[in-house]
Amino acid sequence: MRPVSQPIRVFVTGGTFDKEYDELSGRLYFKDTHLPEMLRLARCRLDVSVRNLMMVDSLDMTDGDRRIIVESCRSAAEDRILVTHGTDTMAETARALLAAGLGKTVVLTGAMIPYAFGSSDGLFNLGSALSFVQVLPPGVYVAMNGRVFPGDKVRKNRQTGTFEDLA
Amino acid sequence: MRPVSQPIRVFVTGGTFDKEYDELSGRLYFKDTHLPEMLRLARCRLDVSVRNLMMVDSLDMTDGDRRIIVESCRSAAEDRILVTHGTDTMAETARALLAAGLGKTVVLTGAMIPYAFGSSDGLFNLGSALSFVQVLPPGVYVAMNGRVFPGDKVRKNRQTGTFEDLA
Amino acid sequence: MRPVSQPIRVFVTGGTFDKEYDELSGRLYFKDTHLPEMLRLARCRLDVSVRNLMMVDSLDMTDGDRRIIVESCRSAAEDRILVTHGTDTMAETARALLAAGLGKTVVLTGAMIPYAFGSSDGLFNLGSALSFVQVLPPGVYVAMNGRVFPGDKVRKNRQTGTFEDLA
Amino acid sequence: MRPVSQPIRVFVTGGTFDKEYDELSGRLYFKDTHLPEMLRLARCRLDVSVRNLMMVDSLDMTDGDRRIIVESCRSAAEDRILVTHGTDTMAETARALLAAGLGKTVVLTGAMIPYAFGSSDGLFNLGSALSFVQVLPPGVYVAMNGRVFPGDKVRKNRQTGTFEDLA
């Protein structure tokens, strides 16, 4: 089995991945996505196109936002799609994508620590998600903590900050 | 297709991944592997066991070193194995592993920039390799630049520093 | 003029210097001071003793907190004292220290970006403040942006995030 | 005593400060100086002009190189000068500057760990040296480890990697 070298679409939606520190207000905020910089640092040689859909904390994500994500995945020319997403409602968006029956391989990932911090898990998760999206059959998946979960069988454990199987 | 949750063995052999800066001599050297620290930073929740086989620059790797790697993979209890390795002779070790006909999934990965530097590709490659090793069938693979290559169809391009298909 | 090699006392009060990212809540918070780690990284060979007085955002600092800082400086055995402090009310605490007429060299410093982030100005400011405190005569000073200001002639410009002379 | 706000000249000569990792050769090398980036990160608001004199390992510095440094300091319009320098022969260059009797305040500094690495002492040393150069009287000094040494009374201890008084 050789991973396909089909083009991969990355949809950015914000989340901890892309949080920045605003030195004037002392608060975290969103400015731009770090995805292109991360792909450069990773010396990634995949055929990846990045598109920024929104820049929101996933706790603030609305049903309308989720419809935009679903429709963007549906109308994308690519069959292999990565969605960067805040971790808090990642499982909820996975359900929305599943319900849409897209017939594509969609992998959601995110980070517990902002990439702009020196010690983020984001680069590891990006490498993981971009690998799973190349080899998994059509479906919706969450890639976190080095693991991959079917989109309807996963939840974030708020106490530990890790993802786990939904019994 | 659900990735197996079988245990994963990681064999460390050195390479750029684990190079450090010696502030007394001003030279790069090997001290300890950063793998456990990287897995912690990544919040990795896989069943991973790390074992240090050697700490060498892959240009200095001997046939004897390669036999140690092959035999360690053969005698490991695990069927899914990750080998961290210098990039210069990674393809050569992949051939040695292929020739041994192990019947296991073995993925080699490495880094172009030492992890101890702030801007390494190592964490991305580790996330990628740990993902491929969970889902690929038995065989020997190289995971670099977000891509995965069959062990007998890959070479490092010394001019660009990236891995490419062997025509 | 040779800088004295007298012992230096560092009083930690919190501020951006020591903010951390809480990955469970997604908020910034205080845990422990990074001062000892920063001094180690800096290979600092001064006779420095660090004591944690409080861990607060300087916007939340009360008159009572300022009395604790003043009294700690007064009763310290050392005549050369560094206070790490949030930038928002650093000038106010400098006035309180001046009013106390301590007859010691007290330098306040802080950071615009948390040290836990990879790209903080904290290490630069710490090097600057520890240098000024060795050579300046008794008085109260603010060391920020590479400059040093008398404690009664400084203010933070909230628009630019830098310190400037009070006309 | 108020630190002067006279302009400061920075002469860059290379040293560990500015070493980079060459990912194609796996060796350390010099490309460009990081000084402007470091001053930006530090939010430095001093009147600093940076000029690159050379990019050498201080073990390779020749008598001719030292003459260039001395003459550059002599002909500079500024009376306050910072020289970034490799640590191995920093004391030797300090003697050459002293012998020239410049009547200016010249401070040499450097780093034990390259700035391009995440955990360098360079930013601390830069903050320290830029502070000492503002307040010390004419003379030649070495600023390392948070301390400042007269140029004729200092040596690097090769065993510990720190600077100490010459008895």
Side-chain angles (χ1 to χ4, degrees), chain B residues 66-91:
Chain B
R66 287 200 172 83
R67 275 194 296 274
I68 291 174
I69 297 171
V70 169
E71 291 314 311
S72 298
C73 288
R74 192 192 309 275
S75 60
E78 296 85 357
D79 286 328
R80 300 190 177 266
I81 299 174
L82 174 64
V83 179
T84 68
H85 198 285
T87 57
D88 285 313
T89 68
M90 194 183 283

PDB file of all heavy atoms in Angstrom, chain B residues 66-91:
ATOM      1  N   ARG B  66      24.553  -1.660  11.516  1.00  0.00           N
ATOM      2  CA  ARG B  66      23.306  -2.008  10.823  1.00  0.00           C
ATOM      3  C   ARG B  66      22.813  -3.399  11.228  1.00  0.00           C
ATOM      4  O   ARG B  66      21.614  -3.638  11.310  1.00  0.00           O
ATOM      5  CB  ARG B  66      23.493  -1.928   9.296  1.00  0.00           C
ATOM      6  CG  ARG B  66      23.589  -0.508   8.822  1.00  0.00           C
ATOM      7  CD  ARG B  66      23.301  -0.267   7.368  1.00  0.00           C
ATOM      8  NE  ARG B  66      23.266   1.194   7.228  1.00  0.00           N
ATOM      9  CZ  ARG B  66      24.349   1.967   7.070  1.00  0.00           C
ATOM     10  NH1 ARG B  66      25.541   1.427   6.946  1.00  0.00           N
ATOM     11  NH2 ARG B  66      24.225   3.268   7.011  1.00  0.00           N
ATOM     12  N   ARG B  67      23.752  -4.301  11.477  1.00  0.00           N
ATOM     13  CA  ARG B  67      23.329  -5.637  11.935  1.00  0.00           C
ATOM     14  C   ARG B  67      22.643  -5.541  13.299  1.00  0.00           C
ATOM     15  O   ARG B  67      21.665  -6.237  13.564  1.00  0.00           O
ATOM     16  CB  ARG B  67      24.543  -6.579  12.004  1.00  0.00           C
ATOM     17  CG  ARG B  67      24.861  -7.239  10.664  1.00  0.00           C
ATOM     18  CD  ARG B  67      25.818  -8.414  10.815  1.00  0.00           C
ATOM     19  NE  ARG B  67      27.125  -8.002  11.311  1.00  0.00           N
ATOM     20  CZ  ARG B  67      28.133  -7.566  10.523  1.00  0.00           C
ATOM     21  NH1 ARG B  67      27.985  -7.503   9.221  1.00  0.00           N
ATOM     22  NH2 ARG B  67      29.282  -7.203  11.060  1.00  0.00           N
ATOM     23  N   ILE B  68      23.172  -4.657  14.156  1.00  0.00           N
ATOM     24  CA  ILE B  68      22.545  -4.474  15.473  1.00  0.00           C
ATOM     25  C   ILE B  68      21.109  -3.961  15.308  1.00  0.00           C
ATOM     26  O   ILE B  68      20.185  -4.427  15.979  1.00  0.00           O
ATOM     27  CB  ILE B  68      23.371  -3.475  16.324  1.00  0.00           C
ATOM     28  CG1 ILE B  68      24.705  -4.121  16.708  1.00  0.00           C
ATOM     29  CG2 ILE B  68      22.598  -3.036  17.575  1.00  0.00           C
ATOM     30  CD1 ILE B  68      25.669  -3.184  17.420  1.00  0.00           C
ATOM     31  N   ILE B  69      20.929  -3.012  14.386  1.00  0.00           N
ATOM     32  CA  ILE B  69      19.582  -2.471  14.158  1.00  0.00           C
ATOM     33  C   ILE B  69      18.639  -3.567  13.643  1.00  0.00           C
ATOM     34  O   ILE B  69      17.525  -3.742  14.145  1.00  0.00           O
ATOM     35  CB  ILE B  69      19.626  -1.286  13.155  1.00  0.00           C
ATOM     36  CG1 ILE B  69      20.456  -0.133  13.742  1.00  0.00           C
ATOM     37  CG2 ILE B  69      18.221  -0.804  12.807  1.00  0.00           C
ATOM     38  CD1 ILE B  69      20.736   0.997  12.763  1.00  0.00           C
ATOM     39  N   VAL B  70      19.107  -4.331  12.650  1.00  0.00           N
ATOM     40  CA  VAL B  70      18.282  -5.394  12.073  1.00  0.00           C
ATOM     41  C   VAL B  70      17.925  -6.430  13.136  1.00  0.00           C
ATOM     42  O   VAL B  70      16.744  -6.804  13.288  1.00  0.00           O
ATOM     43  CB  VAL B  70      19.012  -6.070  10.886  1.00  0.00           C
ATOM     44  CG1 VAL B  70      18.278  -7.345  10.460  1.00  0.00           C
ATOM     45  CG2 VAL B  70      19.130  -5.108   9.705  1.00  0.00           C
ATOM     46  N   GLU B  71      18.919  -6.868  13.896  1.00  0.00           N
ATOM     47  CA  GLU B  71      18.648  -7.909  14.893  1.00  0.00           C
ATOM     48  C   GLU B  71      17.754  -7.391  16.026  1.00  0.00           C
ATOM     49  O   GLU B  71      16.929  -8.132  16.559  1.00  0.00           O
ATOM     50  CB  GLU B  71      19.961  -8.478  15.451  1.00  0.00           C
ATOM     51  CG  GLU B  71      20.740  -9.294  14.417  1.00  0.00           C
ATOM     52  CD  GLU B  71      19.844 -10.276  13.649  1.00  0.00           C
ATOM     53  OE1 GLU B  71      19.074 -11.026  14.292  1.00  0.00           O
ATOM     54  OE2 GLU B  71      19.887 -10.260  12.393  1.00  0.00           O
ATOM     55  N   SER B  72      17.905  -6.110  16.359  1.00  0.00           N
ATOM     56  CA  SER B  72      17.042  -5.527  17.391  1.00  0.00           C
ATOM     57  C   SER B  72      15.596  -5.492  16.924  1.00  0.00           C
ATOM     58  O   SER B  72      14.670  -5.762  17.703  1.00  0.00           O
ATOM     59  CB  SER B  72      17.513  -4.108  17.732  1.00  0.00           C
ATOM     60  OG  SER B  72      18.824  -4.144  18.261  1.00  0.00           O
ATOM     61  N   CYS B  73      15.387  -5.178  15.639  1.00  0.00           N
ATOM     62  CA  CYS B  73      14.022  -5.175  15.096  1.00  0.00           C
ATOM     63  C   CYS B  73      13.462  -6.595  15.068  1.00  0.00           C
ATOM     64  O   CYS B  73      12.300  -6.834  15.383  1.00  0.00           O
ATOM     65  CB  CYS B  73      14.004  -4.578  13.684  1.00  0.00           C
ATOM     66  SG  CYS B  73      14.265  -2.786  13.650  1.00  0.00           S
ATOM     67  N   ARG B  74      14.316  -7.561  14.686  1.00  0.00           N
ATOM     68  CA  ARG B  74      13.864  -8.940  14.596  1.00  0.00           C
ATOM     69  C   ARG B  74      13.442  -9.469  15.963  1.00  0.00           C
ATOM     70  O   ARG B  74      12.370 -10.077  16.113  1.00  0.00           O
ATOM     71  CB  ARG B  74      14.983  -9.824  14.034  1.00  0.00           C
ATOM     72  CG  ARG B  74      14.491 -11.231  13.641  1.00  0.00           C
ATOM     73  CD  ARG B  74      15.631 -12.217  13.363  1.00  0.00           C
ATOM     74  NE  ARG B  74      16.646 -11.738  12.437  1.00  0.00           N
ATOM     75  CZ  ARG B  74      16.581 -11.823  11.106  1.00  0.00           C
ATOM     76  NH1 ARG B  74      15.525 -12.355  10.547  1.00  0.00           N
ATOM     77  NH2 ARG B  74      17.565 -11.357  10.357  1.00  0.00           N
ATOM     78  N   SER B  75      14.259  -9.220  16.973  1.00  0.00           N
ATOM     79  CA  SER B  75      13.985  -9.839  18.266  1.00  0.00           C
ATOM     80  C   SER B  75      13.009  -9.029  19.129  1.00  0.00           C
ATOM     81  O   SER B  75      12.617  -9.487  20.204  1.00  0.00           O
ATOM     82  CB  SER B  75      15.289 -10.083  19.021  1.00  0.00           C
ATOM     83  OG  SER B  75      15.950  -8.858  19.221  1.00  0.00           O
ATOM     84  N   ALA B  76      12.632  -7.850  18.658  1.00  0.00           N
ATOM     85  CA  ALA B  76      11.670  -7.058  19.441  1.00  0.00           C
ATOM     86  C   ALA B  76      10.332  -7.787  19.519  1.00  0.00           C
ATOM     87  O   ALA B  76       9.912  -8.447  18.566  1.00  0.00           O
ATOM     88  CB  ALA B  76      11.469  -5.685  18.790  1.00  0.00           C
ATOM     89  N   ALA B  77       9.657  -7.647  20.632  1.00  0.00           N
ATOM     90  CA  ALA B  77       8.338  -8.266  20.795  1.00  0.00           C
ATOM     91  C   ALA B  77       7.300  -7.560  19.919  1.00  0.00           C
ATOM     92  O   ALA B  77       6.300  -8.155  19.524  1.00  0.00           O
ATOM     93  CB  ALA B  77       7.919  -8.203  22.262  1.00  0.00           C
ATOM     94  N   GLU B  78       7.556  -6.304  19.590  1.00  0.00           N
ATOM     95  CA  GLU B  78       6.578  -5.493  18.865  1.00  0.00           C
ATOM     96  C   GLU B  78       6.651  -5.749  17.352  1.00  0.00           C
ATOM     97  O   GLU B  78       7.718  -6.002  16.799  1.00  0.00           O
ATOM     98  CB  GLU B  78       6.825  -4.001  19.110  1.00  0.00           C
ATOM     99  CG  GLU B  78       6.637  -3.575  20.564  1.00  0.00           C
ATOM    100  CD  GLU B  78       7.893  -3.788  21.405  1.00  0.00           C
ATOM    101  OE1 GLU B  78       8.910  -4.321  20.876  1.00  0.00           O
ATOM    102  OE2 GLU B  78       7.863  -3.424  22.594  1.00  0.00           O
ATOM    103  N   ASP B  79       5.504  -5.617  16.689  1.00  0.00           N
ATOM    104  CA  ASP B  79       5.440  -5.742  15.223  1.00  0.00           C
ATOM    105  C   ASP B  79       5.470  -4.387  14.521  1.00  0.00           C
ATOM    106  O   ASP B  79       5.474  -4.326  13.293  1.00  0.00           O
ATOM    107  CB  ASP B  79       4.153  -6.469  14.813  1.00  0.00           C
ATOM    108  CG  ASP B  79       4.249  -7.956  15.121  1.00  0.00           C
ATOM    109  OD1 ASP B  79       5.365  -8.505  15.044  1.00  0.00           O
ATOM    110  OD2 ASP B  79       3.209  -8.543  15.459  1.00  0.00           O
ATOM    111  N   ARG B  80       5.427  -3.331  15.293  1.00  0.00           N
ATOM    112  CA  ARG B  80       5.433  -1.973  14.730  1.00  0.00           C
ATOM    113  C   ARG B  80       6.604  -1.224  15.355  1.00  0.00           C
ATOM    114  O   ARG B  80       6.635  -1.013  16.549  1.00  0.00           O
ATOM    115  CB  ARG B  80       4.095  -1.282  14.991  1.00  0.00           C
ATOM    116  CG  ARG B  80       2.941  -2.073  14.356  1.00  0.00           C
ATOM    117  CD  ARG B  80       1.613  -1.407  14.318  1.00  0.00           C
ATOM    118  NE  ARG B  80       0.675  -2.286  13.617  1.00  0.00           N
ATOM    119  CZ  ARG B  80       0.407  -2.195  12.315  1.00  0.00           C
ATOM    120  NH1 ARG B  80       0.982  -1.261  11.577  1.00  0.00           N
ATOM    121  NH2 ARG B  80      -0.433  -3.042  11.740  1.00  0.00           N
ATOM    122  N   ILE B  81       7.545  -0.830  14.490  1.00  0.00           N
ATOM    123  CA  ILE B  81       8.828  -0.318  14.981  1.00  0.00           C
ATOM    124  C   ILE B  81       9.201   0.977  14.270  1.00  0.00           C
ATOM    125  O   ILE B  81       9.098   1.087  13.049  1.00  0.00           O
ATOM    126  CB  ILE B  81       9.941  -1.373  14.754  1.00  0.00           C
ATOM    127  CG1 ILE B  81       9.601  -2.656  15.522  1.00  0.00           C
ATOM    128  CG2 ILE B  81      11.296  -0.822  15.183  1.00  0.00           C
ATOM    129  CD1 ILE B  81      10.554  -3.809  15.263  1.00  0.00           C
ATOM    130  N   LEU B  82       9.641   1.943  15.081  1.00  0.00           N
ATOM    131  CA  LEU B  82      10.145   3.211  14.549  1.00  0.00           C
ATOM    132  C   LEU B  82      11.639   3.274  14.831  1.00  0.00           C
ATOM    133  O   LEU B  82      12.073   2.995  15.950  1.00  0.00           O
ATOM    134  CB  LEU B  82       9.428   4.370  15.254  1.00  0.00           C
ATOM    135  CG  LEU B  82       9.904   5.789  14.955  1.00  0.00           C
ATOM    136  CD1 LEU B  82       9.671   6.144  13.491  1.00  0.00           C
ATOM    137  CD2 LEU B  82       9.160   6.777  15.857  1.00  0.00           C
ATOM    138  N   VAL B  83      12.425   3.625  13.802  1.00  0.00           N
ATOM    139  CA  VAL B  83      13.871   3.773  13.980  1.00  0.00           C
ATOM    140  C   VAL B  83      14.246   5.229  13.703  1.00  0.00           C
ATOM    141  O   VAL B  83      14.011   5.729  12.596  1.00  0.00           O
ATOM    142  CB  VAL B  83      14.655   2.843  13.022  1.00  0.00           C
ATOM    143  CG1 VAL B  83      16.169   3.029  13.203  1.00  0.00           C
ATOM    144  CG2 VAL B  83      14.264   1.381  13.242  1.00  0.00           C
ATOM    145  N   THR B  84      14.798   5.933  14.699  1.00  0.00           N
ATOM    146  CA  THR B  84      15.297   7.291  14.427  1.00  0.00           C
ATOM    147  C   THR B  84      16.732   7.158  13.949  1.00  0.00           C
ATOM    148  O   THR B  84      17.516   6.387  14.507  1.00  0.00           O
ATOM    149  CB  THR B  84      15.227   8.208  15.662  1.00  0.00           C
ATOM    150  OG1 THR B  84      16.154   7.758  16.638  1.00  0.00           O
ATOM    151  CG2 THR B  84      13.823   8.213  16.254  1.00  0.00           C
ATOM    152  N   HIS B  85      17.083   7.948  12.925  1.00  0.00           N
ATOM    153  CA  HIS B  85      18.306   7.648  12.162  1.00  0.00           C
ATOM    154  C   HIS B  85      18.803   8.930  11.490  1.00  0.00           C
ATOM    155  O   HIS B  85      18.011   9.785  11.103  1.00  0.00           O
ATOM    156  CB  HIS B  85      17.918   6.633  11.074  1.00  0.00           C
ATOM    157  CG  HIS B  85      19.057   5.873  10.472  1.00  0.00           C
ATOM    158  ND1 HIS B  85      19.940   6.429   9.574  1.00  0.00           N
ATOM    159  CD2 HIS B  85      19.448   4.586  10.638  1.00  0.00           C
ATOM    160  CE1 HIS B  85      20.828   5.507   9.202  1.00  0.00           C
ATOM    161  NE2 HIS B  85      20.559   4.377   9.834  1.00  0.00           N
ATOM    162  N   GLY B  86      20.107   9.076  11.356  1.00  0.00           N
ATOM    163  CA  GLY B  86      20.657  10.167  10.558  1.00  0.00           C
ATOM    164  C   GLY B  86      20.159  10.064   9.130  1.00  0.00           C
ATOM    165  O   GLY B  86      19.914   8.961   8.629  1.00  0.00           O
ATOM    166  N   THR B  87      20.003  11.215   8.467  1.00  0.00           N
ATOM    167  CA  THR B  87      19.382  11.183   7.144  1.00  0.00           C
ATOM    168  C   THR B  87      20.346  10.714   6.040  1.00  0.00           C
ATOM    169  O   THR B  87      19.892  10.187   5.028  1.00  0.00           O
ATOM    170  CB  THR B  87      18.842  12.580   6.759  1.00  0.00           C
ATOM    171  OG1 THR B  87      19.919  13.517   6.825  1.00  0.00           O
ATOM    172  CG2 THR B  87      17.737  13.004   7.699  1.00  0.00           C
ATOM    173  N   ASP B  88      21.651  10.869   6.248  1.00  0.00           N
ATOM    174  CA  ASP B  88      22.587  10.622   5.147  1.00  0.00           C
ATOM    175  C   ASP B  88      22.600   9.168   4.665  1.00  0.00           C
ATOM    176  O   ASP B  88      22.762   8.921   3.476  1.00  0.00           O
ATOM    177  CB  ASP B  88      24.005  11.051   5.543  1.00  0.00           C
ATOM    178  CG  ASP B  88      24.155  12.565   5.519  1.00  0.00           C
ATOM    179  OD1 ASP B  88      23.723  13.176   4.524  1.00  0.00           O
ATOM    180  OD2 ASP B  88      24.677  13.141   6.493  1.00  0.00           O
ATOM    181  N   THR B  89      22.449   8.218   5.579  1.00  0.00           N
ATOM    182  CA  THR B  89      22.473   6.809   5.157  1.00  0.00           C
ATOM    183  C   THR B  89      21.183   6.095   5.562  1.00  0.00           C
ATOM    184  O   THR B  89      21.171   4.868   5.707  1.00  0.00           O
ATOM    185  CB  THR B  89      23.693   6.070   5.744  1.00  0.00           C
ATOM    186  OG1 THR B  89      23.537   5.966   7.160  1.00  0.00           O
ATOM    187  CG2 THR B  89      24.997   6.790   5.418  1.00  0.00           C
ATOM    188  N   MET B  90      20.113   6.853   5.749  1.00  0.00           N
ATOM    189  CA  MET B  90      18.835   6.251   6.137  1.00  0.00           C
ATOM    190  C   MET B  90      18.358   5.234   5.098  1.00  0.00           C
ATOM    191  O   MET B  90      17.866   4.148   5.443  1.00  0.00           O
ATOM    192  CB  MET B  90      17.792   7.351   6.300  1.00  0.00           C
ATOM    193  CG  MET B  90      16.528   6.911   7.012  1.00  0.00           C
ATOM    194  SD  MET B  90      15.302   8.270   7.068  1.00  0.00           S
ATOM    195  CE  MET B  90      15.981   9.297   8.367  1.00  0.00           C
ATOM    196  N   ALA B  91      18.525   5.577   3.822  1.00  0.00           N
ATOM    197  CA  ALA B  91      18.073   4.685   2.755  1.00  0.00           C
ATOM    198  C   ALA B  91      18.875   3.378   2.771  1.00  0.00           C
ATOM    199  O   ALA B  91      18.332   2.300   2.500  1.00  0.00           O
ATOM    200  CB  ALA B  91      18.202   5.382   1.401  1.00  0.00           C
TER     201      ALA B  91
END
